[in-house]
Amino acid sequence: MTTLLQIHEPGATPAPHEGEQNLAVGIDLGTTNSVVAMAHDNQPEVLLGEDGSLLVPSVVAYGEKPETLPLVGEAARQLLLGEPEAVVSSIKRLMGRGAEDIKTLAGTLPFELAADSEDSEDGADAKDKSGGMVRLTVRGRTLTPVEVSADILRALKLRAETALDRTVDRAVVTVPAYFDDAARTATRDAARLAGLEVLRLVNEPTAAALAYGLDKGAEGVFAVYDLGGGTFDISLLRMEKGVFQVLATGGDAALGGDDFDHAIAEHFLAQRAEEDASHTLTSDEAKTALMSARLAKECLSSAADGEWMIDAGGAVTRHRLDQKTYQSLIAPLVARTTDICGHVLEDAGLKPEEVCGVVLVGGSTRVPLVRDQVAQLFGREPLADIDPDSVVALGAALQAEALTVGSDSLLLDVTPLSLGIETMGGITEKVISRNTPIPVSKAQEFTTYQDGQTAMMIHVVQGEREMVNQNRSLARFELHGIPPMTAGAARILVTFTIDADGLLTVSAREQTTGLEQNVEVKPSYGISEDDMTRMLRDSMEHAKSDMTERLLAEARVDGERVLAALGAALSVDGDLCDEADRETINQAVIRLREAIAGTDRDAIHAAIGDLDEASRPFAERRMDRGIRKALEGKQVSELAEEGSSSSSGEGGDKNDDDAAAAR
């Protein structure tokens, strides 16, 4: 067999990866630091900066003139102390969020919010008119988190192009598993603004498991504990022969190393306030305090104690902090992560000892207390032999290669919270349950409540509770043009579709006419502080009372339906009721209305039964009238002939048909 050699002129050897038309990179867009990586032949590697740096700090500094290109990375972070008014950090925590969701520091926001004259004259509400996302004012500019994130992504794109010596315009970008639709959409928009096509949004714990599994050939159930700068995720995955199946996931989209910084900064500022209680903290001083707190956190990961300065408002104060005090400050935050881990184990039906290993992801897992608590919960030392800062990007790079070149591995992710619609009585009817593998499409059929109803409101909600007002509203849309029918006759097929990125589309189709309406669910901004974990915690704590409330609501709906049907019947055939029957029915109606107004479900069912009994003579007379009307002008022989042809093979009784016709 002859092998053909590729011969090139001297100096004309193609650059590495040249001719790879399907090149795509993996990006971990982090709260504190970001990383870009690339995989070739299932071997991922982080793309380093020209100075050999692994991480790109997720910090952006803006110049005084709008035309000045922003600084991104270490150069921007160094300006935090000298020019805090020019610097934006931890922007990931604002993705898809509103002004009220922003974490405050000692009553002061570490960001200057842009005033929105349509919302409030003083700018306290500061929501983007185009969708409710918060906007910031930085040196006279008005910026959204999407724009700031796009600047970070541009820097990562440039790093990749410099390292690979070619254009990079496609990427797999990772997001926290608990990012909702708004935050995921904002991330995709930021990438598009940076000139990157997003092949897929991959959950960070899943990406980490992919990198670890392929690198080590691991099999079995593994926990991925991901504590980054701004978010926390815990996922349980089963790895087997290249298939990575997420069994259950949980987390908190507003819990991370930044909260450790806040706890330390609050401690320092409380000491500072003892010296000058009259001073009001500015947003720039808040940034300075957070910077000092972050330095303290990083030092205390290895040192026993230390001293740090806060230079703000012309006053310099010194603050000592030892390991014991530091741990007491962050202990409640670490406990929140282990509590969530416990709930996720319950969801998966697993005990800690059934987990083969715990993979640590995120820079905040370097904190000794975090590692100690994780080891105590799972009864084993966590696996930390892969750099927790780079493992997510490495997994994203592997997924990017899989989507462009192909791979033997398969990712099966899940949706973190249940999705459903509102039905009569304010009840949540779940269509897709949490921890359902994605992508997924599920449909459920619904019907009309009133006679002649020609439109239906579709209200999409997210959460685990039984009643709509206990869950989070995502979107509303109306299906018009339903043919007027009796209540319950129309067939409305509602379909929920979640794509591989975790983004939701809902459609409603009237089966008779084929009329269809759909909406891509895009909430105005993300779930507020602790909402995700609160939803799950409340669903467990209130499971019994929620079900009782749901059953009561269903009973009330049944009662109202009976009353509506009876009212419609009386309006048409009320002459069939004599005065005594009418009085009996009215008394039963009153008792049912009283029961519906109460909180006793059994009483409602009993009252419905009483009303059925009271209206039975009227119902029988209506049936007789209907039969007589249908048989007017027909001979018994004609009916017998029709009955014989229509009931052939059905087991019908001809004698019974004749008897009915005779009546």
Side-chain angles (χ1 to χ4, degrees):
M1 177 177 172
T2 303
T3 302
L4 297 178
L5 301 178
Q6 291 186 341
I7 301 175
H8 304 275
E9 292 293 330
T13 304
H17 315 301
E18 185 174 345
E20 295 180 14
Q21 300 298 320
N22 293 324
L23 175 67
V25 297
I27 292 177
D28 173 15
L29 182 61
T31 306
T32 306
N33 296 295
S34 296
V35 184
V36 59
M38 185 223 170
H40 184 67
D41 290 337
N42 274 351
Q43 296 299 317
E45 61 176 333
V46 173
L47 300 177
L48 305 179
E50 293 180 333
D51 60 353
S53 59
L54 175 81
L55 307 175
V56 176
S58 301
V59 183
V60 186
Y62 294 90
E64 294 182 359
K65 296 180 180 180
E67 61 271 18
T68 304
L69 291 176
L71 292 175
V72 179
E74 186 58 39
R77 186 162 69 173
Q78 290 177 4
L79 290 176
L80 261 174
L81 292 177
E83 301 178 52
E85 75 283 355
V87 181
V88 179
S89 61
S90 298
I91 196 64
K92 184 176 177 179
R93 302 196 80 168
L94 274 63
M95 293 293 275
R97 293 182 178 272
E100 64 272 27
D101 300 325
I102 298 176
K103 181 89 172 180
T104 60
L105 175 64
T108 303
L109 294 172
F111 307 94
E112 184 179 346
L113 300 186
D116 189 334
S117 57
E118 289 193 1
D119 287 326
S120 63
E121 293 183 1
D122 60 4
D125 220 2
K127 292 180 184 177
D128 190 317
K129 290 177 284 185
S130 65
M133 188 177 289
V134 68
R135 296 179 298 156
L136 309 178
T137 296
V138 183
R139 280 191 164 172
R141 297 177 179 81
T142 299
L143 299 168
T144 65
V146 169
E147 293 170 294
V148 178
S149 295
D151 286 329
I152 299 171
L153 287 167
R154 285 191 192 96
L156 295 168
K157 180 177 185 290
L158 178 60
R159 171 175 284 203
E161 291 176 339
T162 301
L164 299 172
D165 194 23
R166 59 169 295 176
T167 300
V168 174
D169 54 14
R170 297 194 294 174
V172 167
V173 182
T174 62
V175 292
Y178 256 45
F179 253 21
D180 69 346
D181 283 344
R184 289 172 188 266
T185 300
T187 303
R188 183 181 285 277
D189 290 345
R192 188 181 299 116
L193 197 59
L196 289 168
E197 175 192 353
V198 177
L199 298 178
R200 182 166 297 175
L201 296 174
V202 176
N203 288 344
E204 290 164 3
T206 308
L210 179 61
Y212 187 88
L214 288 183
D215 185 53
K216 300 296 181 184
E219 290 198 355
V221 176
F222 282 77
V224 181
Y225 179 100
D226 182 356
L227 184 61
T231 60
F232 169 67
D233 288 305
I234 174 69
S235 292
L236 293 173
L237 301 95
R238 176 173 284 115
M239 306 183 195
E240 187 175 6
K241 297 179 181 178
V243 177
F244 298 79
Q245 180 184 6
V246 181
L247 303 177
T249 190
D252 190 329
L255 173 61
D258 278 6
D259 295 281
F260 295 180
D261 300 343
H262 277 272
I264 298 170
E266 295 280 2
H267 178 70
F268 287 169
L269 291 171
Q271 295 174 339
R272 184 181 173 92
E274 293 176 0
E275 300 180 17
D276 184 6
S278 63
H279 179 68
T280 301
L281 193 70
T282 67
S283 61
D284 289 344
E285 291 170 355
K287 291 180 183 179
T288 302
L290 282 171
M291 185 65 178
S292 297
R294 179 167 296 172
L295 292 172
K297 176 187 69 177
E298 293 172 355
C299 291
L300 289 172
S301 290
S302 55
D305 57 23
E307 184 177 85
W308 292 269
M309 293 188 306
I310 295 180
D311 183 358
V316 178
T317 52
R318 295 180 177 274
H319 307 272
R320 290 200 64 81
L321 187 63
D322 57 31
Q323 189 69 234
K324 183 178 180 180
T325 305
Y326 169 49
Q327 291 189 358
S328 69
L329 293 173
I330 67 171
L333 300 169
V334 178
R336 280 167 58 184
T337 70
T338 53
D339 286 345
I340 295 170
C341 291
H343 292 315
V344 172
L345 285 167
E346 290 178 11
D347 289 343
L350 294 173
K351 297 178 181 178
E353 56 268 24
E354 295 178 89
V355 176
C356 298
V358 185
V359 180
L360 294 182
V361 181
S364 297
T365 59
R366 289 190 173 90
V367 175
L369 181 64
V370 171
R371 296 197 175 198
D372 292 344
Q373 292 298 307
V374 171
Q376 184 176 331
L377 173 65
F378 288 95
R380 65 183 69 242
E381 287 298 318
L383 303 167
D385 49 340
I386 299 181
D387 181 5
D389 286 319
S390 62
V391 65
V392 169
L394 294 174
L398 287 166
Q399 182 64 6
E401 184 185 29
L403 293 174
T404 53
V405 179
S407 171
D408 293 331
S409 64
L410 175 65
L411 291 181
L412 299 175
D413 223 326
V414 299
T415 181
L417 288 172
S418 299
L419 296 156
I421 72 168
E422 177 180 359
T423 58
M424 285 302 299
I427 298 169
T428 298
E429 186 65 32
K430 294 173 185 172
V431 178
I432 296 180
S433 299
R434 67 189 176 102
N435 288 327
T436 297
I438 58 173
V440 64
S441 183
K442 287 192 176 183
Q444 196 162 326
E445 207 168 75
F446 297 88
T447 190
T448 50
Y449 177 73
Q450 294 180 335
D451 292 342
Q453 185 175 334
T454 59
M456 178 181 286
M457 168 68 77
I458 308 295
H459 181 198
V460 184
V461 296
Q462 181 180 43
E464 306 309 314
R465 304 290 295 275
E466 298 295 333
M467 307 304 294
V468 166
N469 61 6
Q470 298 164 341
N471 293 317
R472 180 171 187 261
S473 173
L474 291 184
R476 299 173 188 263
F477 65 97
E478 291 186 2
L479 179 67
H480 291 278
I482 300 172
M485 307 178 191
T486 57
R491 294 164 53 221
I492 315 297
L493 188 70
V494 178
T495 303
F496 279 48
T497 302
I498 304 178
D499 64 16
D501 295 330
L503 300 176
L504 171 66
T505 301
V506 180
S507 64
R509 186 175 189 271
E510 202 289 306
Q511 300 288 70
T512 305
T513 62
L515 188 72
E516 187 166 355
Q517 180 72 32
N518 64 75
V519 60
E520 184 175 335
V521 177
K522 290 184 179 180
S524 59
Y525 52 84
I527 291 177
S528 61
E529 184 84 11
D530 293 335
D531 265 2
M532 283 284 196
T533 48
R534 178 186 55 76
M535 286 179 177
L536 291 176
R537 184 177 62 249
D538 287 353
S539 71
M540 289 180 273
E541 291 178 354
H542 302 287
K544 185 175 180 180
S545 60
D546 282 356
M547 184 54 67
T548 300
E549 189 173 351
R550 179 191 178 105
L551 293 174
L552 174 61
E554 289 176 343
R556 286 170 171 165
V557 169
D558 288 342
E560 293 289 357
R561 185 181 292 117
V562 168
L563 290 173
L566 178 61
L570 287 171
S571 66
V572 175
D573 295 313
D575 59 299
L576 294 176
C577 274
D578 57 28
E579 188 172 335
D581 286 341
R582 176 78 74 164
E583 178 61 23
T584 301
I585 291 174
N586 286 342
Q587 290 299 319
V589 166
I590 291 171
R591 288 194 296 273
L592 177 54
R593 292 198 182 281
E594 289 175 347
I596 290 174
T599 58
D600 188 338
R601 177 170 57 93
D602 293 336
I604 296 174
H605 287 311
I608 290 174
D610 291 345
L611 182 56
D612 284 343
E613 188 64 31
S615 59
R616 187 184 302 278
F618 168 60
E620 290 174 349
R621 294 187 200 112
R622 283 196 79 215
M623 186 179 295
D624 288 343
R625 173 178 282 183
I627 292 173
R628 284 196 299 271
K629 189 173 182 180
L631 299 181
E632 277 182 5
K634 292 194 177 185
Q635 300 294 324
V636 172
S637 58
E638 293 178 305
L639 294 172
E641 193 173 316
E642 290 177 5
S644 176
S645 60
S646 65
S647 63
S648 178
E650 299 289 338
D653 189 327
K654 184 176 182 299
N655 292 330
D656 287 346
D657 291 342
D658 285 342
R663 287 201 299 269

